[in-house]
Amino acid sequence: MPKLIALYIRQVAIGFAISAAFVAMLLYLNVANLWHLVSSSSDGVLAVVVMWVLNGIVFAGVQFGIAIMRMKDDDHPGGGKRDALPTGLQQVMLAEPVPVKIDQRSPQKKQLQR
């Protein structure tokens, strides 16, 4: 069996196991009174199976996506270069503060006087 197919089957099994644990916790904690709804209905088992399968599809897809994304090759180990900044940027960054004269009147009074 190809490695990718084996990886997919393993991740789907993990996703459905996570889904089973998730549905079991929903029922155990009685979220939204699910345990009462499932235990008092004649179709309660069907509802649990549907909830498990649909959550299993979601969790399996997420699990497989995470597994694929973690397989990336690291072509460039380490961070980026630490080159010196271009000369134009150094001049801007090393600029001296310039004093600016500020009118003491508030902006509202300026508007009224105009």
Side-chain angles (χ1 to χ4, degrees):
M1 181 181 307
K3 289 182 181 180
L4 187 61
I5 302 298
L7 173 73
Y8 181 72
I9 291 171
R10 186 171 44 250
Q11 298 307 320
V12 167
I14 291 171
F16 273 89
I18 293 171
S19 173
F22 179 71
V23 172
M25 288 302 294
L26 285 177
L27 293 173
Y28 178 74
L29 296 174
N30 202 17
V31 175
N33 209 16
L34 281 177
W35 176 252
H36 173 70
L37 289 171
V38 167
S39 61
S40 64
S41 173
S42 61
D43 293 329
V45 175
L46 177 65
V48 171
V49 169
V50 168
M51 192 169 17
W52 173 66
V53 169
L54 294 179
N55 279 308
I57 291 169
V58 171
F59 289 139
V62 169
Q63 184 68 26
F64 183 64
I66 290 171
I68 290 295
M69 287 184 224
R70 293 184 70 189
M71 291 175 60
K72 75 171 186 78
D73 292 333
D74 197 10
D75 294 338
H76 305 289
K81 295 185 201 176
R82 302 293 189 251
D83 291 340
L85 293 172
T87 351
L89 288 176
Q90 284 179 345
Q91 290 174 355
V92 171
M93 294 176 80
L94 300 176
E96 302 261 337
V98 178
V100 177
K101 186 175 182 179
I102 299 174
D103 192 8
Q104 294 297 325
R105 292 183 282 171
S106 68
Q108 295 169 348
K109 289 183 180 178
K110 284 184 187 179
Q111 299 270 333
L112 295 175
Q113 289 178 355
R114 291 184 185 182

